[in-house]
Amino acid sequence: MKTNYWSVDKNVDKEESYSQIQQAADLLRKNEVVAFPTETVYGLGGNAKEDSAISKIFAAKGRPSDNPLIIHIAKREQLDELVEKVPATAEKLMDAFWPGPLTIIFEKKNGVLSELATAGLSTVGIRMPNHPVALQIIEQSSLPIAAPSANRSGKPSPTKAIHVKEDLDTYIAGIVDGGSTGVGVESTVVDCTDEKVMILRPGGITKEQLESVVGEVKVDQALTDTEIKPKSPGMKYTHYAPNAPLFLVDGSKEKIQLLIEEEKQKGHRVGVLTTKENKAFYRADFVYACGKRLDLSTVAAELYDGLRSFDHQQVDIIFGEMFPTEGVGQAVMNRLMKAASHQVIK
Ligand code: TXA
Ligand code: MG
């Protein structure tokens, strides 16, 4: 299939962008699938009411069918068609964080959404993205739009249109390029169907931010204990992994340099995932500086581009620094641990 490619200005009011967004929305209405930017990562959108569109999403991604998709809406009014009830906690969280990187799990209204999109569950995850291009596309389509991250399953999520092209060119009907996404890690997924709000996937909205609105928030135990089955189906899959094995190092940069030397002596090409502060210190075959350690939001923004860049450098092994799990650091470390298959050198 030929993949249409549009480059749009973030300022979607411009006449030129408007017609391109219209074309993307038309394809969605025809049950084709189109990738577009959100404030977190690029999403691969499809008509959430239509099995044929949802099948195309799963096929293009190579995604296991038991992993439900997040449904994206542009207006609060769209919610009532999709869910049974809106708990008071969810109402507060929507007021505080929508549009934004927060996905809320609700009890779903039966018979509205494609069963494939929700993987046959009785619940549905919904979010309103904070990106003018995403909001315009959803609004123009007049549909709820199912949109997982627009990567091949298992790969790091795309934060640039070129990442989507690398993974999905010729598999999907279109890519809307709106530049780099911003937040860089996916939305936080919270379950609001119980009295106490629970984080199922850490992401762009931090635990601290949630607690400032609804009080104490629980965290799915499976996030820290790999023996427990996660409540969010997607969290059980390995993800984000570069082709070469990644080892996180719980130690100093001197320790990391020693590990690099050892590998070099074996004739291996070695990569390092670090930050701007430490980049100049390392002597390795490829060093990627992912944001500034002193501002973890900049690390989140560049994390996936960093993980993907090692594949282009043909390294044999990668060593990565670790980060504090405060604020958005919780999401960063969650993704890094998955990318490293939990391999940590102490
Ligand atoms: O930032 C994001 O959320 C991006 C952008 C494109 O919006 N989307 C995204 O979708 O990350 P995806 O499909 O890559 O991840 C969706 C996650 C999976 O872990 C899935 O299992 C979980 O949300 N999820 C979806 N519906 C759920 C439900 N009803 N109950 C529990 N977890 C659910
Ligand atoms: Mg994903």
Side-chain angles (χ1 to χ4, degrees), residues 75-312:
K75 295 229 152 69
R76 169 67 178 81
E77 298 85 82
Q78 282 182 281
L79 184 67
D80 302 311
E81 186 201 358
L82 308 176
V83 306
E84 255 330 300
K85 57 172 184 274
V86 180
T89 49
E91 203 73 73
K92 283 188 201 161
L93 290 174
M94 288 189 290
D95 279 346
F97 302 115
W98 277 12
L102 181 71
T103 295
I104 302 177
I105 308 293
F106 296 91
E107 278 171 41
K108 109 182 154 180
K109 207 171 257 178
N110 280 323
V112 185
L113 293 165
S114 154
E115 284 290 314
L116 301 177
T118 56
L121 298 178
S122 61
T123 55
V124 57
I126 299 183
R127 96 173 186 100
M128 188 190 291
N130 187 18
H131 194 292
V133 173
L135 289 171
Q136 277 290 326
I137 291 176
I138 300 164
E139 204 174 324
Q140 298 294 335
S141 76
S142 316
L143 290 167
I145 297 295
S149 50
N151 50 285
R152 286 285 297 173
S153 238
K155 287 274 164 201
S157 299
T159 52
K160 296 176 177 173
I162 183 74
H163 299 158
V164 181
K165 200 162 188 275
E166 279 167 11
D167 281 14
L168 300 178
D169 195 31
T170 73
Y171 290 94
I172 61 179
I175 300 174
V176 181
D177 181 349
S180 294
T181 51
V183 177
V185 289
E186 299 86 341
S187 62
T188 303
V189 177
V190 294
D191 187 348
C192 282
T193 58
D194 270 341
E195 197 114 332
K196 270 234 172 81
V197 174
M198 184 187 279
I199 296 177
L200 306 187
R201 175 178 77 175
I205 297 291
T206 66
K207 179 165 187 274
E208 294 83 348
Q209 283 176 295
L210 295 170
E211 289 188 326
S212 73
V213 175
V214 292
E216 198 201 333
V217 167
K218 294 194 288 186
V219 177
D220 185 3
Q221 272 195 299
L223 292 178
T224 46
D225 184 343
T226 50
E227 302 290 302
I228 299 174
K229 182 168 170 252
K231 293 189 167 51
S232 174
M235 297 300 283
K236 70 174 179 281
Y237 294 107
T238 13
H239 250 121
Y240 314 112
N243 295 332
L246 167 67
F247 293 88
L248 300 180
V249 185
D250 187 4
S252 64
K253 49 186 194 290
E254 288 77 14
K255 163 86 186 167
I256 296 179
Q257 186 58 44
L258 279 177
L259 291 164
I260 298 169
E261 302 299 338
E262 274 174 35
E263 289 301 320
K264 278 187 160 185
Q265 263 160 30
K266 293 182 206 159
H268 290 158
R269 268 179 71 77
V270 189
V272 180
L273 183 65
T274 176
T275 57
K276 301 220 160 53
E277 290 94 335
N278 293 348
K279 182 172 191 210
F281 175 83
Y282 295 109
R283 288 168 313 278
D285 297 293
F286 177 62
V287 183
Y288 187 95
C290 172
K292 291 203 207 82
R293 176 167 286 277
L294 284 178
D295 178 359
L296 291 177
S297 68
T298 63
V299 175
E302 293 176 2
L303 182 67
Y304 294 151
D305 187 54
L307 289 172
R308 278 176 178 264
S309 67
F310 291 103
D311 289 349
H312 301 297

